Amino acid sequence: MKIFEPAPCLSPFIRAFVVVESNGSFVNRLLPDTSVVAAIRLQGHVHYQGQNGNNCLPVLSLSGLRKSFRIAEYGHNSANILVQFKEGGAAAFFHLPIHELFELNVSLDHFFKPSELMFLQEQLEAAESIQGKVNIVQKFFIARIRCQKNDLLITHSVEKIKAAKGMLSVKELSDNLHVSLDVFEKRFRKTVGTTPKQFADIVRMKGLIGQAPANGPLLNSALDAGFFDQSHFIRNFKKFTGQTPKEFFNVGRHSG
């Protein structure tokens, strides 16, 4: 895996370009995250287990936020560029309410002309180095920035939720931002891709996983984070990861 920083003009919207290459085949457990991700397949195949069974990832695709895990199987000699958008950043490029992507993976031809995508693929095939291929993808998105500024209210609310590790009242947050709860929730969903409550739940669970098990028993942290009891926490943990806490941490290999 190689990580490339975005060009300065893309940095307000894109967190990183991640290249995932595999000599053999391997299976990865993808946990829910707070970022919309575009995937560009350079070679090989990637299959994932979704709601409709085992599916082959399109050559050019866009994945919305999810509330549950997904299993991805990278084929032999596969290579992919992942474009990890910042929270709310995808709205700068795609003309649709981002929450419509929730739990979905769709082809990029829903958003761009076939001729544009064909030219992109031709350029990627002609580029000899990984850096060159990443540069081509960067130029593609630079040319398609629809708006130059993020929604500052939503950016601020995302920072607040992260700073609180997901443990805050959405109603109190909207009050502090001096906007009605209904307006805030609709604006957040449209820009980020899910409700503030679902977003906070993802942040909370990722925080718990990130701090375990070094800080002592995970259950104690879970109770402090607002889970009612052990069964409530384990039920939510298993939905998030597909495993019980014991199974998950014994494997010792996971992806967020």
Side-chain angles (χ1 to χ4, degrees):
M1 181 181 294
K2 299 177 182 177
I3 300 176
F4 298 83
E5 292 186 0
C9 62
L10 291 177
S11 60
F13 316 110
I14 294 177
R15 177 175 293 115
F17 294 88
V18 180
V19 178
V20 181
E21 297 180 278
S22 170
N23 292 327
S25 60
F26 71 96
V27 175
N28 199 10
R29 183 177 299 269
L30 305 175
L31 304 187
D33 195 20
T34 57
S35 299
V36 172
V37 176
I40 298 169
R41 178 150 47 93
L42 302 176
Q43 63 183 47
H45 294 87
V46 179
H47 290 83
Y48 66 92
Q49 294 178 14
Q51 295 178 342
N52 299 318
N54 201 336
N55 302 279
C56 183
L57 195 71
V59 175
L60 306 167
S61 64
L62 186 68
S63 297
L65 272 62
R66 294 174 284 108
K67 60 183 178 181
S68 56
F69 75 102
R70 176 178 289 173
I71 300 296
E73 181 179 351
Y74 292 81
H76 185 70
N77 289 335
S78 63
N80 299 268
I81 297 177
L82 305 180
V83 184
Q84 297 180 337
F85 295 96
K86 291 183 176 179
E87 293 84 358
F93 306 94
F94 301 98
H95 185 63
L96 87 165
I98 300 301
H99 69 268
E100 292 185 7
L101 294 169
F102 190 70
E103 294 283 2
L104 295 180
N105 182 285
V106 297
S107 174
L108 282 184
D109 60 17
H110 286 81
F111 311 102
F112 304 117
K113 296 177 181 179
S115 57
E116 294 177 312
L117 299 178
M118 185 178 299
F119 184 59
L120 171 63
Q121 289 179 270
E122 290 174 352
Q123 287 183 304
L124 289 172
E125 290 175 2
E128 296 182 356
S129 68
I130 289 297
Q131 179 69 69
K133 294 178 188 295
V134 171
N135 290 342
I136 288 169
V137 175
Q138 294 219 51
K139 291 178 182 177
F140 178 85
F141 281 100
I142 288 172
R144 286 159 183 82
I145 297 176
R146 297 176 50 251
C147 55
Q148 296 292 332
K149 294 182 179 180
N150 284 314
D151 186 325
L152 295 182
L153 183 142
I154 299 304
T155 299
H156 182 65
S157 65
V158 165
E159 292 172 352
K160 286 286 188 182
I161 293 172
K162 286 188 168 184
K165 298 181 180 179
M167 294 176 283
L168 81 176
S169 164
V170 174
K171 178 63 169 62
E172 290 181 4
L173 178 58
S174 67
D175 288 343
N176 291 336
L177 294 170
H178 306 292
V179 62
S180 73
L181 179 61
D182 183 58
V183 169
F184 173 59
E185 288 184 332
K186 288 180 179 178
R187 194 159 152 184
F188 194 98
R189 288 174 67 236
K190 181 180 179 180
T191 305
V192 176
T194 188
T195 66
K197 175 63 168 61
Q198 289 172 324
F199 184 87
D201 287 345
I202 294 173
V203 171
R204 178 174 63 158
M205 188 62 79
K206 283 180 68 68
L208 285 171
I209 291 173
Q211 72 183 17
N215 292 348
L218 185 59
L219 179 59
N220 291 343
S221 298
L223 296 176
D224 290 340
F227 289 96
F228 305 132
D229 52 31
Q230 183 175 12
S231 61
H232 179 224
F233 169 63
I234 291 177
R235 185 167 61 252
N236 280 268
F237 189 96
K238 192 168 184 179
K239 184 176 182 180
F240 194 88
T241 67
Q243 297 174 314
T244 65
K246 184 177 181 180
E247 292 169 338
F248 183 83
F249 289 109
N250 281 344
V251 169
R253 191 177 79 178
H254 56 271
S255 173

